Amino acid sequence: MKITEIIPRSIAADLGLAPGDDLISINGSQIRDELDLQFYSSGDQVELEVIKEGETVLYEIEKEYDEELGIKVEPMKMSACGNDCVFCFVDQNPEGLRKALYFRDGDYRFSHLYGNFNTMTNVGPSAMERIVRQRLMPQYVSVHSTDLEVRKTLMRLRKDDHIMEKLRYLADNEIWMHGQIVLCPGINDGPSLDRTVEDVFTLWPSMKTLAVVPVGLTSHRLGLEKLKVVDRDYARMMIDWASKYQERFKAITGACWLNLSDEFYLVADVPVPDEDFYDGFPQLENGIGMVRDFIEETRREVDTICQTRTAGPSKRLTLATGTLAAGFMRNEIVPILKQIPNLDVDLEVVVNRLYGPAVTVTGLLSGKCFTEHFASKASGDLLLLPPNVLNEDDIFLDDETPAGLQRKLGGRHMAIFHGSWEEVLHYLDDPGAETFQSQRITLPVIQA
């Protein structure tokens, strides 16, 4: 592995190691990535094998057990998924997006680090052993189905990938996991779904939770297999189905264990469950309880704001959201925000013009969606965009930038919401503020 950085005043710096040197092994074990580096460098006695200026050099080091060496290596390259699932969202992307959006990721290392779900189809014996040896947990596993014939149809497998054997191996070695089923009506539901749930539950307590999320379909499925959408009646049927398992599992585990994603409740047009239902929100980033968490966090913060905020000039805030979230935003969030003195709140529901109107989740709205929606609409004193519409590089799905969007919308005041209504109010009171911080998160402000 190529060394890319040496931390100043570290052990590696004292040894004279430098970027460009090659780290070969630690204590005789080959270093393949940063996870190996972290795992094998633990201990009070470490032997480094490094190629420096063309020569192999061994360094024997005595240190505190958890003291870091001060070495950074090349970032890991994500492994591709080994499946060709009929519902894969990558195949439903329109043409012309950035290259990364067409990559099918499926890497157990990133599952451990960032919570990415992977199918484990391409995880062989050596990788399984590594997960156990290095305690790479939790692992987030897309199970989909434990019925081999259904798996072959759903994931286009050519042979048995032994999913339950792999999961059992991890469970027997006390590797924590969270599971997911992408539900495709007519394929992996019904008796097959029951079998999958029952099979996966045998892995508890190592399998901490299991989530069911509905298949996502875009308008760009030309030439792809026809799939059924989760509609209102189907969503309500699934809520009834899940409740029977949840009651049973709670009696055994003390928690629901099985959860449906928020989308089922929103499509069914029924209230999302209460906060206690979600047992601490272990799959929050997978859309399990995110709506309830947002409602309760907003209610708690607004209660605090109302106790301390003094009346001032009236301000108008415009919230932008996707069609799926429109109901709870209108019925729950807007009324809570209107309790704040001298604050008027408008809600604008933005239709997806990149993937098509069938894609209703907020996180898949693009710069084009906002540009076309707000081109002829006013947005008050502040236009607040949803928090998950930008990637880590602050770019929309269609490569639009916040600054570019603002120019197209005539330089109006805009911001990206990231969790703090107090910061939103601060910007409303002081439109010239460039950025402001909270202890939880930064609210990036789009400047005119």
Side-chain angles (χ1 to χ4, degrees):
M1 287 294 296
K2 190 72 68 179
I3 295 175
T4 59
E5 183 181 349
I6 298 295
I7 305 301
R9 297 180 294 280
S10 65
I11 293 173
D14 292 341
L15 294 175
L17 299 181
D21 294 343
D22 290 303
L23 177 60
I24 305 303
S25 69
I26 299 179
N27 292 339
S29 295
Q30 180 185 0
I31 303 303
R32 297 158 293 181
D33 54 37
E34 58 195 73
L35 293 178
D36 277 346
L37 172 60
Q38 181 179 8
F39 179 76
Y40 290 112
S41 61
S42 296
D44 50 19
Q45 293 186 341
V46 174
E47 181 182 82
L48 296 184
E49 181 183 6
V50 178
I51 296 179
K52 186 174 182 62
E53 297 177 353
E55 296 186 4
T56 300
V57 184
L58 292 177
Y59 298 90
E60 294 184 354
I61 302 165
E62 293 186 1
K63 65 180 187 65
E64 297 295 328
Y65 188 90
D66 291 327
E67 185 179 4
E68 295 185 358
L69 296 174
I71 295 173
K72 292 189 176 182
V73 295
E74 303 168 77
M76 295 188 297
K77 294 181 180 179
M78 186 176 290
S79 299
C81 177
N83 304 305
D84 186 23
C85 297
V86 297
F87 58 83
C88 184
F89 204 85
V90 169
D91 295 335
Q92 303 179 70
N93 277 322
E95 296 181 358
L97 303 181
R98 56 182 176 275
K99 186 177 179 180
L101 295 176
Y102 301 99
F103 180 77
R104 299 178 181 179
D105 64 288
D107 196 316
Y108 69 92
R109 300 171 303 167
F110 288 84
S111 180
H112 159 62
L113 289 172
Y114 305 114
N116 297 10
F117 278 89
N118 76 105
T119 63
M120 291 206 162
T121 300
N122 58 354
V123 179
S126 62
M128 296 292 291
E129 181 186 353
R130 182 187 184 190
I131 292 172
V132 171
R133 183 175 67 254
Q134 298 186 4
R135 314 308 290 169
L136 301 181
M137 61 183 183
Q139 286 290 317
Y140 293 82
V141 185
S142 288
V143 181
H144 303 321
S145 178
T146 58
D147 183 320
L148 179 57
E149 294 308 311
V150 173
R151 287 179 69 79
K152 286 181 177 179
T153 299
L154 193 68
M155 303 165 69
R156 294 196 178 109
L157 298 178
R158 288 173 291 185
K159 60 181 180 179
D160 190 351
D161 65 340
H162 304 285
I163 182 61
M164 280 303 296
E165 293 177 29
K166 294 177 181 179
L167 298 181
R168 173 59 62 191
Y169 173 78
L170 296 181
D172 288 345
N173 285 278
E174 299 181 335
I175 296 297
W176 299 346
M177 296 172 281
H178 293 282
Q180 170 187 260
I181 297 169
V182 174
L183 190 65
C184 298
I187 300 180
N188 62 335
D189 56 358
S192 173
L193 179 60
D194 290 325
R195 171 180 169 178
T196 300
V197 171
E198 296 288 359
D199 286 346
V200 176
F201 185 65
T202 65
L203 305 171
W204 179 83
S206 291
M207 182 68 76
K208 299 297 183 183
T209 61
L210 179 64
V212 180
V213 302
V215 62
L217 305 178
T218 81
S219 297
H220 302 276
R221 290 192 58 84
L222 185 64
L224 300 178
E225 184 170 336
K226 290 185 178 180
L227 297 176
K228 298 177 181 178
V229 69
V230 171
D231 59 19
R232 178 179 174 181
D233 290 341
Y234 189 91
R236 291 190 171 190
M237 179 271 294
M238 284 300 302
I239 293 171
D240 290 339
W241 168 87
S243 66
K244 299 172 185 176
Y245 276 110
Q246 289 161 344
E247 183 177 354
R248 172 185 151 202
F249 292 150
K250 191 155 191 174
I252 299 171
T253 71
C256 288
W257 189 80
L258 173 72
N259 281 118
L260 302 179
S261 71
D262 293 356
E263 189 168 348
F264 282 100
Y265 299 96
L266 299 179
V267 171
D269 194 24
V270 300
V272 295
D274 293 335
E275 198 169 14
D276 292 343
F277 180 85
Y278 290 102
D279 305 309
F281 301 100
Q283 286 209 39
L284 185 67
E285 295 303 317
N286 196 25
I288 311 298
M290 189 173 287
V291 168
R292 175 53 62 190
D293 184 61
F294 182 43
I295 292 170
E296 299 306 324
E297 284 291 321
T298 297
R299 181 176 288 114
R300 284 189 283 265
E301 187 175 7
V302 169
D303 284 347
T304 301
I305 289 171
C306 290
Q307 293 174 17
T308 58
R309 184 172 174 82
T310 57
S314 179
K315 299 289 184 177
R316 181 169 292 276
L317 172 67
T318 298
L319 307 176
T321 191
T323 53
L324 182 64
F328 90 86
M329 289 291 292
R330 181 178 295 109
N331 298 328
E332 300 277 0
I333 300 301
V334 170
I336 294 173
L337 293 177
K338 284 187 174 181
Q339 298 173 23
I340 299 173
N342 293 326
L343 180 66
D344 294 320
V345 183
D346 296 322
L347 182 70
E348 288 291 334
V349 182
V350 181
V351 174
N352 199 308
R353 291 171 169 80
L354 179 65
Y355 288 106
V359 174
T360 58
V361 295
T362 304
L364 293 176
L365 293 173
S366 66
K368 176 183 179 181
C369 301
F370 295 114
T371 300
E372 295 190 9
H373 183 90
F374 288 103
S376 59
K377 289 180 179 287
S379 54
D381 296 298
L382 175 65
L383 171 57
L384 193 64
L385 303 187
N388 51 355
V389 293
L390 301 178
N391 69 2
E392 293 180 356
D393 298 319
D394 290 336
I395 298 175
F396 291 96
L397 280 167
D398 55 0
D399 287 343
E400 180 64 275
T401 65
L405 172 62
Q406 188 179 41
R407 285 194 298 271
K408 292 177 180 177
L409 294 179
R412 69 185 72 187
H413 292 295
M414 304 167 61
I416 309 296
F417 181 71
H418 277 299
S420 172
W421 294 109
E422 185 176 358
E423 289 182 337
V424 173
L425 295 174
H426 179 74
Y427 186 62
L428 277 168
D429 294 338
D430 184 8
E434 293 186 5
T435 57
F436 30 86
Q437 306 280 336
S438 74
Q439 292 182 347
R440 292 184 300 170
I441 200 159
T442 301
L443 174 68
V445 173
I446 307 172
Q447 292 298 305

